[in-house]
Amino acid sequence: MTKEKPAGFNRRELLQATATVAAGYTAVPLLAACSSSDARPAKIGVLLPYSGIYAVLGESITEGIRMYLDEIGNQSGGRRIEIITEDSQMMPDVAQQKARKLVEQDEVDFVAGIVSTGVLYGLRDYFDSAKKLLICANAGGNKISRELRTPYIWRTSFSNWQPNWPLGDWAYKNVAQKVFMSAPDYGAGHNMVDAFANSFQALGGQILGMQFTPFPTMGDPAPFITEIQGLDPPMVFCFYSGASAVAFVQSYGEFGLTDNIPLVCAGFTVEEDVLPAQGTAALGALSSLHWSLLIDNPINKRFTSAYKNRTGKDANVFAVQGYDTGRVIAELLIAVQGDTSDVSRMIDYLAGISFDSPRGPFNLDSQSQNPSQHIYVRRVDEVDGALHNVVIEDLGAFTDPGDNSLG
């Protein structure tokens, strides 16, 4: 289901005029021309996990933000930009303390980051009451685009619905009409399963069973893989990320399922950050996501090359989300000419932000406050001696429906 993006606000033209800034790496003169009388630096509070199982995600997002800001000389809208980082530790109570510190003590202009849906939900009421902008660079909990929507939280990442609803339709038509499902027992896991199941069942697909594994640590994956092996379904759908994704996929291979039962998954399960550790057990896995390392567009080629030169590592979707977060903040500062005192005015501009991203066309939707973006079906193949996700189909642009009607 492809949804059209509503028309932007009347300030959209100003933002579109700057849309080529990153593509040519000629941003500094343009940004400097948009001057502000405020000589203070624009402070970005970056709240991410830098310890624990998702530390790599936090580091990748931060590196992406810094990379974009470095490209524009760490200034926008006539203001120098500073980053203040805090470790959320993937714990809602810790994240709330750190958010208060960033907002009330450091007096940041924005907060960006957040990996975990649970952390995002825990911060929702604070940012709503504080009337401070939070730009979420990962956590995809559907409720933030639906019943918990607040004008003060916007996403540069995805909703959990986005990669998975189109995949359910595609998998039914291209892989199998029956499926067994596996995901961690927390908000994101349930969101991903529900979205896939909604479109899959709408076509007549049959769900043979579901398993929800312990979170945040799965423990020994063998009992869960044994259950799948015993049922011998024609297809498995799963969602895992980080260390859990490595454990699940490795065990899937060790039990001999890789070559016998097609693995269809939310793209994070086999993303670039985990593929090296998963090894050949991941070969052939089919996934959907809003980005791939091998997307053939000029912005992505330039981004992936620059990221590899900068870090010595291949980029991943989390780095892309960080990179685009940096750009959204920079373009917002241009739009308000560096004046961050009027949050309502900044919110008006957010819905008009649109540019070409490494992921393809990027548009912030005014209803869901989440990107409208293309979703790609990918297959894990060996490319030049390493495992990568090769795009086999572009499913088109999808926007979160803004309610629970589609899972």
Side-chain angles (χ1 to χ4, degrees):
M1 176 179 178
T2 302
K3 294 201 170 191
E4 296 295 327
K5 183 184 183 297
F9 284 76
N10 58 10
R11 302 183 180 92
R12 182 182 183 126
E13 292 79 7
L14 173 61
L15 292 163
Q16 289 178 327
T18 68
T20 59
V21 168
Y25 292 83
T26 58
V28 175
L30 176 60
L31 299 180
C34 302
S35 61
S36 167
S37 59
D38 193 342
R40 296 180 304 108
K43 296 181 181 179
I44 306 172
V46 176
L47 183 56
L48 287 163
Y50 298 113
S51 58
I53 62 169
Y54 287 161
V56 173
L57 279 62
E59 292 163 3
S60 297
I61 292 169
T62 305
E63 195 62 44
I65 294 173
R66 290 190 186 278
M67 180 172 158
Y68 183 81
L69 296 181
D70 284 348
E71 288 173 5
I72 62 169
N74 290 288
Q75 60 178 330
S76 186
R79 291 178 70 179
R80 183 168 54 87
I81 299 174
E82 288 184 1
I83 290 178
I84 302 171
T85 59
E86 291 289 347
D87 184 0
S88 70
Q89 300 177 32
M90 288 289 290
M91 299 172 62
D93 56 339
V94 171
Q96 289 177 34
Q97 295 169 11
K98 299 295 181 67
R100 288 182 179 275
K101 183 257 185 185
L102 289 168
V103 171
E104 298 168 19
Q105 296 180 30
D106 297 318
E107 297 182 334
V108 297
D109 296 276
F110 317 93
V111 175
I114 316 303
V115 161
S116 161
T117 289
V119 167
L120 181 62
Y121 288 170
L123 291 172
R124 186 265 180 201
D125 288 351
Y126 174 70
F127 281 90
D128 185 65
S129 61
K131 295 180 170 55
K132 179 66 69 171
L133 270 177
L134 170 60
I135 300 179
C136 177
N138 189 69
N142 291 340
K143 290 181 180 180
I144 288 296
S145 292
R146 303 177 186 184
E147 59 264 41
L148 293 182
R149 187 166 62 243
T150 164
Y152 302 103
I153 299 179
W154 290 68
R155 268 196 288 234
T156 53
S157 51
F158 59 94
S159 74
N160 291 332
W161 177 90
Q162 277 184 301
N164 298 291
W165 191 90
L167 184 61
D169 181 287
W170 184 89
Y172 178 87
K173 295 173 181 175
N174 293 278
V175 184
Q177 286 74 56
K178 296 181 181 180
V179 66
F180 183 86
M181 310 181 82
S182 180
D185 192 9
Y186 78 118
H190 287 270
N191 281 174
M192 306 258 184
V193 163
D194 289 347
F196 182 96
N198 183 284
S199 59
F200 186 78
Q201 289 180 302
L203 293 174
Q206 182 180 350
I207 296 174
L208 301 175
M210 296 186 186
Q211 61 182 204
F212 289 100
T213 60
F215 179 82
T217 302
M218 179 193 297
D220 182 4
F224 308 110
I225 303 299
T226 299
E227 181 182 9
I228 295 171
Q229 187 179 47
L231 287 171
D232 193 25
M235 175 174 66
V236 167
F237 169 80
C238 73
F239 156 68
Y240 289 98
S241 189
S244 294
V246 173
F248 184 90
V249 172
Q250 282 183 338
S251 186
Y252 201 83
E254 289 167 1
F255 276 71
L257 304 189
T258 295
D259 296 327
N260 296 307
I261 303 175
L263 183 63
V264 177
C265 48
F268 310 100
T269 308
V270 287
E271 185 43 23
E272 298 295 327
D273 62 311
V274 293
L275 272 177
Q278 290 169 339
T280 56
L283 273 172
L286 298 162
S287 69
S288 61
L289 206 57
H290 46 281
W291 178 79
S292 165
L293 184 75
L294 302 180
I295 289 178
D296 188 12
N297 72 54
I299 303 295
N300 192 50
K301 288 180 177 179
R302 188 159 44 244
F303 167 77
T304 53
S305 176
Y307 189 88
K308 185 68 174 281
N309 289 337
R310 178 185 178 98
T311 66
K313 303 175 183 177
D314 284 327
N316 55 48
V317 72
F318 309 106
V320 173
Q321 291 167 182
Y323 188 77
D324 288 345
T325 297
R327 180 161 186 178
V328 165
I329 291 172
E331 295 213 8
L332 185 54
L333 286 169
I334 294 171
V336 299
Q337 296 183 297
D339 181 3
T340 56
S341 62
D342 187 342
V343 177
S344 295
R345 182 167 171 254
M346 290 195 290
I347 290 170
D348 285 348
Y349 278 114
L350 278 166
I353 291 179
S354 174
F355 53 80
D356 288 330
S357 157
R359 68 183 89 178
F362 176 101
N363 305 282
L364 279 179
D365 172 58
S366 60
Q367 179 181 352
S368 63
Q369 297 166 206
N370 189 73
S372 175
Q373 57 196 337
H374 283 235
I375 300 300
Y376 306 94
V377 179
R378 319 173 314 168
R379 183 183 61 240
V380 176
D381 287 343
E382 185 173 335
V383 180
D384 296 330
L387 297 183
H388 295 294
N389 289 288
V390 175
V391 174
I392 61 174
E393 189 168 346
D394 179 352
L395 299 180
F398 287 81
T399 304
D400 189 274
D403 57 37
N404 296 319
S405 58
L406 298 175

